[in-house]
Amino acid sequence: AALYLRHYSRTLTVGYGLAYAMSYGADFPIPLLQLMWSDGGRWRADCMLPAYAELDYVLGPSIELGLRAGIQGGRYHLDPDRYQGDNPGLQRLDVTVGPLLRWSASSRSVLTVEAGWTPIREAGLYDGKDETEDFDPGKGAYARAEMMLSF
């Protein structure tokens, strides 16, 4: 991915870019638009379209509450000895919406806990680019925790 960032003001930065991805089922370039905004106080927004959009409220120096919507996808190669085809693979797509809590335990660590709903979930088995089996994992709740450490 390549992204050009332009600072329009102290509170607004916009990025324009292009990424090449195979994550969503096709090999093609994806235009990117990033918006980073702050009211200069407690509210912040961060969007990287088409991947995610997030709105946060800073409760204190080390804790934020937010709302996030995002799309995650992936293509994974499978063992040809166990699955049909010459080039078997699994492809998945999840759209998620829900609240999040971000806690900066120190200047070098950030814990993010997110939960919510998956209104769209898709998965399928492929041989190369040809779909061999489609299955519906179903909509439902999700939870995710992430710890980032800086060294």
Side-chain angles (χ1 to χ4, degrees), residues 113-125:
V113 177
E114 179 183 349
W117 182 252
T118 55
I120 298 172
R121 294 182 76 195
E122 297 177 2
L125 294 175

PDB file of all heavy atoms in Angstrom, residues 113-125:
ATOM      1  N   VAL A 113      -9.967  -3.739  23.648  1.00  0.00           N
ATOM      2  CA  VAL A 113     -10.989  -4.772  23.757  1.00  0.00           C
ATOM      3  C   VAL A 113     -12.180  -4.290  22.946  1.00  0.00           C
ATOM      4  O   VAL A 113     -12.642  -3.162  23.122  1.00  0.00           O
ATOM      5  CB  VAL A 113     -11.395  -5.021  25.227  1.00  0.00           C
ATOM      6  CG1 VAL A 113     -12.498  -6.047  25.313  1.00  0.00           C
ATOM      7  CG2 VAL A 113     -10.186  -5.446  26.048  1.00  0.00           C
ATOM      8  N   GLU A 114     -12.641  -5.152  22.048  1.00  0.00           N
ATOM      9  CA  GLU A 114     -13.711  -4.794  21.130  1.00  0.00           C
ATOM     10  C   GLU A 114     -14.742  -5.916  21.123  1.00  0.00           C
ATOM     11  O   GLU A 114     -14.397  -7.087  21.255  1.00  0.00           O
ATOM     12  CB  GLU A 114     -13.084  -4.641  19.738  1.00  0.00           C
ATOM     13  CG  GLU A 114     -13.988  -4.292  18.639  1.00  0.00           C
ATOM     14  CD  GLU A 114     -13.254  -4.234  17.299  1.00  0.00           C
ATOM     15  OE1 GLU A 114     -12.017  -4.258  17.247  1.00  0.00           O
ATOM     16  OE2 GLU A 114     -13.975  -4.188  16.293  1.00  0.00           O
ATOM     17  N   ALA A 115     -15.995  -5.572  20.989  1.00  0.00           N
ATOM     18  CA  ALA A 115     -17.065  -6.572  20.912  1.00  0.00           C
ATOM     19  C   ALA A 115     -18.184  -5.992  20.069  1.00  0.00           C
ATOM     20  O   ALA A 115     -18.219  -4.792  19.832  1.00  0.00           O
ATOM     21  CB  ALA A 115     -17.580  -6.941  22.292  1.00  0.00           C
ATOM     22  N   GLY A 116     -19.080  -6.859  19.617  1.00  0.00           N
ATOM     23  CA  GLY A 116     -20.187  -6.338  18.828  1.00  0.00           C
ATOM     24  C   GLY A 116     -20.877  -7.408  18.022  1.00  0.00           C
ATOM     25  O   GLY A 116     -20.998  -8.549  18.452  1.00  0.00           O
ATOM     26  N   TRP A 117     -21.282  -7.043  16.801  1.00  0.00           N
ATOM     27  CA  TRP A 117     -22.116  -7.880  15.962  1.00  0.00           C
ATOM     28  C   TRP A 117     -21.475  -8.013  14.581  1.00  0.00           C
ATOM     29  O   TRP A 117     -20.869  -7.075  14.090  1.00  0.00           O
ATOM     30  CB  TRP A 117     -23.483  -7.220  15.840  1.00  0.00           C
ATOM     31  CG  TRP A 117     -24.477  -7.984  15.038  1.00  0.00           C
ATOM     32  CD1 TRP A 117     -24.937  -7.661  13.789  1.00  0.00           C
ATOM     33  CD2 TRP A 117     -25.140  -9.179  15.407  1.00  0.00           C
ATOM     34  NE1 TRP A 117     -25.849  -8.590  13.376  1.00  0.00           N
ATOM     35  CE2 TRP A 117     -25.992  -9.538  14.345  1.00  0.00           C
ATOM     36  CE3 TRP A 117     -25.092 -10.005  16.529  1.00  0.00           C
ATOM     37  CZ2 TRP A 117     -26.787 -10.674  14.375  1.00  0.00           C
ATOM     38  CZ3 TRP A 117     -25.894 -11.135  16.558  1.00  0.00           C
ATOM     39  CH2 TRP A 117     -26.725 -11.455  15.491  1.00  0.00           C
ATOM     40  N   THR A 118     -21.646  -9.162  13.958  1.00  0.00           N
ATOM     41  CA  THR A 118     -21.184  -9.381  12.582  1.00  0.00           C
ATOM     42  C   THR A 118     -22.411  -9.493  11.675  1.00  0.00           C
ATOM     43  O   THR A 118     -22.993 -10.565  11.555  1.00  0.00           O
ATOM     44  CB  THR A 118     -20.327 -10.657  12.465  1.00  0.00           C
ATOM     45  OG1 THR A 118     -21.062 -11.755  12.981  1.00  0.00           O
ATOM     46  CG2 THR A 118     -19.032 -10.532  13.211  1.00  0.00           C
ATOM     47  N   PRO A 119     -22.847  -8.395  11.066  1.00  0.00           N
ATOM     48  CA  PRO A 119     -24.033  -8.452  10.214  1.00  0.00           C
ATOM     49  C   PRO A 119     -23.798  -9.210   8.907  1.00  0.00           C
ATOM     50  O   PRO A 119     -24.740  -9.696   8.299  1.00  0.00           O
ATOM     51  CB  PRO A 119     -24.369  -6.988   9.950  1.00  0.00           C
ATOM     52  CG  PRO A 119     -23.111  -6.252  10.194  1.00  0.00           C
ATOM     53  CD  PRO A 119     -22.335  -7.038  11.197  1.00  0.00           C
ATOM     54  N   ILE A 120     -22.532  -9.303   8.470  1.00  0.00           N
ATOM     55  CA  ILE A 120     -22.200 -10.040   7.247  1.00  0.00           C
ATOM     56  C   ILE A 120     -21.020 -10.956   7.536  1.00  0.00           C
ATOM     57  O   ILE A 120     -19.977 -10.505   8.023  1.00  0.00           O
ATOM     58  CB  ILE A 120     -21.838  -9.088   6.096  1.00  0.00           C
ATOM     59  CG1 ILE A 120     -23.021  -8.189   5.759  1.00  0.00           C
ATOM     60  CG2 ILE A 120     -21.376  -9.875   4.865  1.00  0.00           C
ATOM     61  CD1 ILE A 120     -22.704  -7.099   4.765  1.00  0.00           C
ATOM     62  N   ARG A 121     -21.199 -12.244   7.267  1.00  0.00           N
ATOM     63  CA  ARG A 121     -20.114 -13.230   7.380  1.00  0.00           C
ATOM     64  C   ARG A 121     -20.240 -14.185   6.202  1.00  0.00           C
ATOM     65  O   ARG A 121     -21.310 -14.738   5.970  1.00  0.00           O
ATOM     66  CB  ARG A 121     -20.217 -14.019   8.681  1.00  0.00           C
ATOM     67  CG  ARG A 121     -19.988 -13.150   9.897  1.00  0.00           C
ATOM     68  CD  ARG A 121     -20.040 -13.958  11.147  1.00  0.00           C
ATOM     69  NE  ARG A 121     -18.784 -14.695  11.253  1.00  0.00           N
ATOM     70  CZ  ARG A 121     -18.600 -15.720  12.071  1.00  0.00           C
ATOM     71  NH1 ARG A 121     -19.579 -16.157  12.815  1.00  0.00           N
ATOM     72  NH2 ARG A 121     -17.443 -16.320  12.128  1.00  0.00           N
ATOM     73  N   GLU A 122     -19.153 -14.365   5.478  1.00  0.00           N
ATOM     74  CA  GLU A 122     -19.149 -15.267   4.339  1.00  0.00           C
ATOM     75  C   GLU A 122     -17.871 -16.088   4.364  1.00  0.00           C
ATOM     76  O   GLU A 122     -16.830 -15.611   4.820  1.00  0.00           O
ATOM     77  CB  GLU A 122     -19.206 -14.489   3.023  1.00  0.00           C
ATOM     78  CG  GLU A 122     -20.466 -13.682   2.841  1.00  0.00           C
ATOM     79  CD  GLU A 122     -20.459 -12.869   1.563  1.00  0.00           C
ATOM     80  OE1 GLU A 122     -19.483 -12.956   0.788  1.00  0.00           O
ATOM     81  OE2 GLU A 122     -21.431 -12.138   1.345  1.00  0.00           O
ATOM     82  N   ALA A 123     -17.951 -17.307   3.849  1.00  0.00           N
ATOM     83  CA  ALA A 123     -16.775 -18.162   3.742  1.00  0.00           C
ATOM     84  C   ALA A 123     -16.984 -19.144   2.601  1.00  0.00           C
ATOM     85  O   ALA A 123     -18.120 -19.481   2.262  1.00  0.00           O
ATOM     86  CB  ALA A 123     -16.518 -18.906   5.049  1.00  0.00           C
ATOM     87  N   GLY A 124     -15.879 -19.601   2.020  1.00  0.00           N
ATOM     88  CA  GLY A 124     -15.978 -20.571   0.938  1.00  0.00           C
ATOM     89  C   GLY A 124     -14.657 -21.261   0.704  1.00  0.00           C
ATOM     90  O   GLY A 124     -13.594 -20.748   1.057  1.00  0.00           O
ATOM     91  N   LEU A 125     -14.741 -22.442   0.110  1.00  0.00           N
ATOM     92  CA  LEU A 125     -13.560 -23.185  -0.302  1.00  0.00           C
ATOM     93  C   LEU A 125     -13.341 -22.960  -1.792  1.00  0.00           C
ATOM     94  O   LEU A 125     -14.305 -22.907  -2.566  1.00  0.00           O
ATOM     95  CB  LEU A 125     -13.727 -24.676  -0.008  1.00  0.00           C
ATOM     96  CG  LEU A 125     -13.806 -25.048   1.470  1.00  0.00           C
ATOM     97  CD1 LEU A 125     -14.089 -26.532   1.625  1.00  0.00           C
ATOM     98  CD2 LEU A 125     -12.520 -24.679   2.197  1.00  0.00           C
TER      99      LEU A 125
END
